[in-house]
């Protein structure tokens, strides 16, 4: 479980991007942060994982405050995290299998054979059993995302973060990625936070959704509630798509 | 304003170096990177070092013979000057200046690309000290390989001078040998090696700093690469003056 308490972020140029966000992301659920481009959702995600320091507020990982934690404890906590970046962020000078093995090589004290077996298991889990010897540049964008998922789960993380996991992918591949993240969340009981503006993901796997509008938590609910909400800003975001407007009209 | 920005950059560089020189999370992984970097930055530079040094050695020998040597100069002067230039300046300082272009742009581009493609963020999220993991093996690898490159450069330069003697027939090999052996101070060799260790640190750490702080995309990576080469070249030249004065 991750709790955010009044998280604010103001940059050096004086621009306040997060204006006091409080929410709770529960374990074993796919938690989605949605919002328009520039609303602050990426900044929020970066604050949660520690790539940005919040100006004020608390970020509690199972009651451990990440903001006030010392460097050593932060490093240890980070080993409980897995992250899938928008660009997959695979290390392009090493093979797919070596990418997945990297966190194990760095932090696991298992034998080489064990580590390799674990990495292959993770690749099997994301249906990439035969891609281990390839290099990231030789595989498609969807496969790269799946390798990123395999790398993220290799150390059995407690917390899984996904920044725009479907960015640049076709709808069918996006569905595969969403399903994979959702099933891994349930299987491992991870606290999963997905940063997205893909409405298909919202409707498919959004067990807990927070909508960020101009740096504020504007709305919070589930995928079933999102369609019937009377929040104007949320509605203008959700029903910007012609398809979703038609679905709403059909449900009336 | 300019001074303030330089001091600001120096501060950021020192903070980065503080992170670089910290205890590795997994020594074995760093060792693996260290060996890779020795090959990439050191071994892969051997050919260019040999070629450049060979021709410069030959050219120095020819220039001295043709333009300096006269009836009033001893016949060993070409060999003597060639040796002194190669040992004291070329193989340590000028070779590092040349390598700052090759190695510096390589390091700044590699780390800069890793930054803009979020690979450094990925390392940080995993709990890896990305500055140390990426930069320390490069600095250590280059410092290890640099004395070897200096020795090879000196050797190749002298071979170039012999080639000028044998093939160009501008002086006799015996005169060249006499000049190469005349009034030899072993400290001059060690001075070149000591200087090159400092330069190795500069041409790896400065580009790494430029690459590590890139923000943006490919244009910024290109700019960082150029800035890194310019800055490290200037620092090599400035520090050469101080080191030469200090070690002479």
């Amino acid at each position: 479980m991750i709790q955010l308490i009044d998280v604010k972020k103001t940059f050096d140029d004086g621009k306040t991007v997060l204006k006091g966000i409080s929410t709770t992301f529960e374990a074993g659920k796919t938690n989605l942060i949605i919002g328009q481009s520039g609303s602050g959702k990426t900044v929020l995600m970066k604050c949660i994982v520690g790539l940005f320091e919040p100006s004020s507020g608390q970020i509690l990982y199972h009651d451990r405050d990440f903001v006030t934690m010392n460097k050593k404890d932060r490093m240890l906590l980070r080993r409980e995290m897995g992250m899938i970046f928008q660009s997959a962020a695979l290390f392009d000078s090493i093979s797919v299998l070596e990418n997945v093995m990297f966190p194990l090589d760095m932090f696991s004290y298992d034998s080489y054979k064990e580590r390799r077996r674990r990495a292959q298991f993770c690749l099997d889990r994301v249906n990439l059993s035969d891609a281990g010897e390839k290099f990231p540049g030789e595989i498609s964008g969807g496969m790269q995302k799946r390798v990123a998922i395999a790398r993220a789960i290799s150390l059995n993380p407690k917390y899984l973060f996904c920044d725009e996991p479907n960015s640049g992918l076709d709808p069918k591949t996006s569905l595969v990625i969403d399903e994979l993240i959702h099933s891994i969340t349930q299987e491992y009981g991870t606290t999963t936070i997905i940063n997205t503006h893909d409405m298909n993901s919202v409707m498919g796997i959004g067990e807990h959704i927070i909508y960020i509008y101009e740096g504020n938590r504007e709305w919070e609910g589930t995928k079933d509630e999102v369609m019937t909400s009377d929040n104007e800003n949320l509605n203008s975001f959700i029903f910007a798509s012609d398809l979703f407007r038609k679905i709403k009209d059909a449900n009336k | 304003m300019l001074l303030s920005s330089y001091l600001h950059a120096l501060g950021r560089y020192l903070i980065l170096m503080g992170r670089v020189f910290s205890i590795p999370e997994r020594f074995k992984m760093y060792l693996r990177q260290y060996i890779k970097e020795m090959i990439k930055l050191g071994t892969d530079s051997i050919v260019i070092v040999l070629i450049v040094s060979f021709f410069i050695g030959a050219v120095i020998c020819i220039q001295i013979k043709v333009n300096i040597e006269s009836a009033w100069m001893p016949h060993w002067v070409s060999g003597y000057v060639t040796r002194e230039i190669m040992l004291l300046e070329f193989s340590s300082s000028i070779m590092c200046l040349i390598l700052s272009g090759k190695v510096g742009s390589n390091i700044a581009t590699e780390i800069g690309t890793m930054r803009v493609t979020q690979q450094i963020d990925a390392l940080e999220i995993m709990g890896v000290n990305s500055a140390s993991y990426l930069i320390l093996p490069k600095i250590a690898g280059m410092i290890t390989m640099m004395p070897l490159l200096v020795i090879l450069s000196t050797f190749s330069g002298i071979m170039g001078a012999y080639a000028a003697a044998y093939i160009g027939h501008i002086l006799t090999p015996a005169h060249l040998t006499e000049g190469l052996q005349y009034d030899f101070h072993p400290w001059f060799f060690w001075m070149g090696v000591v200087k090159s260790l400092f330069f190795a640190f500069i041409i790896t750490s400065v580009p790494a700093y430029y690459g590590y702080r890139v923000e943006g995309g490919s244009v910024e990576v290109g700019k960082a690469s150029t800035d890194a080469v310019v800055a490290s070249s200037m620092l090599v030249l400035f520090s050469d003056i101080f080191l030469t004065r200090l070690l002479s």
Side-chain angles (χ1 to χ4, degrees):
Chain A
M1 186 179 74
I2 299 172
Q3 259 182 296
L4 308 185
I5 303 169
D6 199 26
V7 174
K8 292 178 183 166
K9 175 67 185 172
T10 303
F11 285 98
D12 292 343
D13 60 4
K15 192 181 174 192
T16 301
V17 180
L18 302 177
K19 296 169 183 168
I21 292 183
S22 300
T23 190
T24 301
F25 301 109
E26 283 175 28
K29 274 188 178 177
T30 43
N31 301 277
L32 269 62
I33 303 172
I34 61 170
Q36 287 165 286
S37 299
S39 60
K41 58 185 192 304
T42 300
V43 173
L44 178 61
M45 176 75 97
K46 286 189 172 180
C47 285
I48 296 171
V49 298
L51 291 175
F52 284 161
E53 289 300 320
S55 305
S56 64
Q58 286 178 290
I59 298 169
L60 306 174
Y61 282 78
H62 283 96
D63 298 328
R64 295 170 291 176
D65 190 355
F66 192 60
V67 180
T68 56
M69 206 175 263
N70 66 38
K71 217 171 171 180
K72 194 183 166 193
D73 289 340
R74 268 192 179 203
M75 284 292 196
L76 291 173
L77 179 61
R78 277 183 165 154
R79 291 170 200 174
E80 297 174 14
M81 297 180 191
M83 183 151 183
I84 299 142
F85 286 88
Q86 195 173 347
S87 60
L90 300 177
F91 306 128
D92 38 25
S93 59
I94 54 177
S95 72
V96 162
L97 185 70
E98 286 169 329
N99 261 283
V100 181
M101 276 181 79
F102 186 87
L104 298 162
D105 287 341
M106 210 63 175
F107 301 117
S108 160
Y109 287 91
D110 292 338
S111 67
Y112 174 78
K113 208 173 164 185
E114 283 289 317
R115 297 198 304 269
R116 197 181 161 94
R117 195 161 59 201
R118 171 70 188 162
Q120 189 58 51
F121 169 80
C122 293
L123 280 176
D124 294 344
R125 183 66 189 78
V126 297
N127 300 319
L128 283 175
S129 307
D130 302 325
E133 299 310 313
K134 290 187 173 145
F135 280 81
E138 297 171 345
I139 58 176
S140 69
M143 287 167 85
Q144 286 185 8
K145 290 279 166 70
R146 283 192 277 161
V147 176
I149 295 171
R151 184 177 68 180
I153 62 169
S154 62
L155 279 173
N156 279 325
K158 275 189 188 171
Y159 313 100
L160 187 62
F161 303 96
C162 314
D163 185 21
E164 307 270 6
N166 298 333
S167 163
L169 300 181
D170 64 85
K172 202 175 167 185
T173 311
S174 297
L175 206 65
V176 172
I177 299 291
D178 282 345
E179 282 306 318
L180 201 53
I181 293 169
H182 186 58
S183 60
I184 283 168
T185 301
Q186 291 186 326
E187 202 176 313
Y188 295 97
T190 57
T191 305
T192 301
I193 303 176
I194 304 170
N195 199 348
T196 187
H197 49 224
D198 181 353
M199 284 311 297
N200 290 323
S201 301
V202 173
M203 299 314 294
I205 57 169
E207 290 174 298
H208 171 228
I209 302 160
I210 71 162
Y211 172 63
I212 306 288
Y213 181 75
E214 292 181 353
N216 291 303
R217 193 207 62 189
E218 180 81 3
W219 181 89
E220 193 164 357
T222 65
K223 64 179 178 182
D224 300 320
E225 293 161 353
V226 81
M227 294 295 278
T228 54
S229 164
D230 53 7
N231 184 298
E232 274 182 34
N233 292 325
L234 177 68
N235 284 342
S236 72
F237 173 73
I238 302 277
F239 302 112
S241 152
D242 192 37
L243 176 67
F244 280 92
R245 269 200 305 274
K246 283 177 182 164
I247 293 170
K248 190 184 186 187
D249 292 342
N251 285 341
K252 273 181 184 173
Chain B
M1 190 66 187
L2 194 65
L3 181 68
S4 152
S5 77
Y6 280 135
L7 287 174
H8 203 68
L10 178 66
R12 282 192 303 228
Y13 171 79
L14 292 175
I15 290 168
L16 180 67
M17 287 304 114
R19 285 190 65 203
V20 167
F21 292 99
S22 56
I23 299 163
E25 288 92 1
R26 180 59 72 88
F27 189 74
K28 204 172 78 180
M29 290 289 279
Y30 278 64
L31 188 66
R32 196 191 295 173
Q33 284 297 104
Y34 167 67
I35 292 165
K36 269 188 192 174
E37 298 299 346
M38 279 205 295
I39 294 166
K40 195 171 74 181
L41 303 177
T43 312
D44 290 355
S45 300
I46 287 175
V47 175
I48 189 170
V49 165
L50 290 177
I51 291 171
V52 173
S53 304
F54 183 88
F55 285 103
I56 293 294
V59 168
I60 290 170
C61 185
I62 294 167
Q63 290 277 26
I64 301 298
K65 175 70 186 171
V66 173
N67 298 311
I68 306 289
E69 213 171 286
S70 67
W72 291 278
M73 290 276 193
H75 53 257
W76 45 258
V77 76
S78 293
Y80 175 77
V81 173
T82 304
R83 185 199 75 201
E84 296 295 78
I85 290 177
M86 292 306 294
L87 272 183
L88 289 171
E89 244 349 271
F90 185 82
S91 296
S92 54
S93 313
I94 306 300
M95 188 46 68
C96 285
L97 206 58
I98 293 166
L99 285 179
S100 75
K102 180 187 180 289
V103 171
S105 62
N106 177 307
I107 292 174
T109 309
E110 182 189 324
I111 297 180
T113 306
M114 287 187 79
R115 168 64 78 193
V116 298
T117 55
Q118 296 181 305
Q119 291 176 50
I120 291 180
D121 288 345
L123 283 170
E124 288 289 328
I125 300 288
M126 284 177 203
V128 177
N129 177 349
S130 62
S132 180
Y133 178 72
L134 294 174
I135 301 171
L136 185 58
K138 290 184 196 302
I139 294 174
M142 198 68 210
I143 286 177
T144 311
M145 291 302 286
M146 193 53 101
L148 176 71
L149 294 176
V150 169
I151 293 165
L152 287 174
S153 168
T154 309
F155 176 76
S156 181
I158 289 168
M159 287 300 108
Y162 271 111
Y166 276 107
I167 302 165
H169 301 294
I170 58 153
L171 78 167
T172 65
H175 286 166
L176 178 64
T177 306
E178 192 184 346
L180 289 172
Q181 292 175 345
Y182 182 79
D183 195 27
F184 177 66
H185 299 283
W187 169 243
F188 286 0
F189 166 75
W190 291 112
M191 194 162 88
V193 170
V194 172
K195 272 164 56 169
S196 73
L197 297 177
F198 283 92
F199 298 148
F201 179 77
I202 291 170
I203 66 172
T204 45
S205 66
V206 172
Y209 162 75
Y210 276 94
Y212 198 81
R213 60 184 288 268
V214 167
E215 280 176 10
S218 56
V219 175
E220 284 76 13
V221 173
K223 189 178 178 305
S225 175
T226 311
D227 292 347
V229 173
V230 172
S232 53
S233 301
M234 295 304 286
L235 281 170
V236 166
L237 290 172
F238 281 126
S239 54
D240 190 23
I241 294 173
F242 294 107
L243 286 169
T244 304
R245 186 70 196 89
L246 198 71
L247 298 170
S248 292

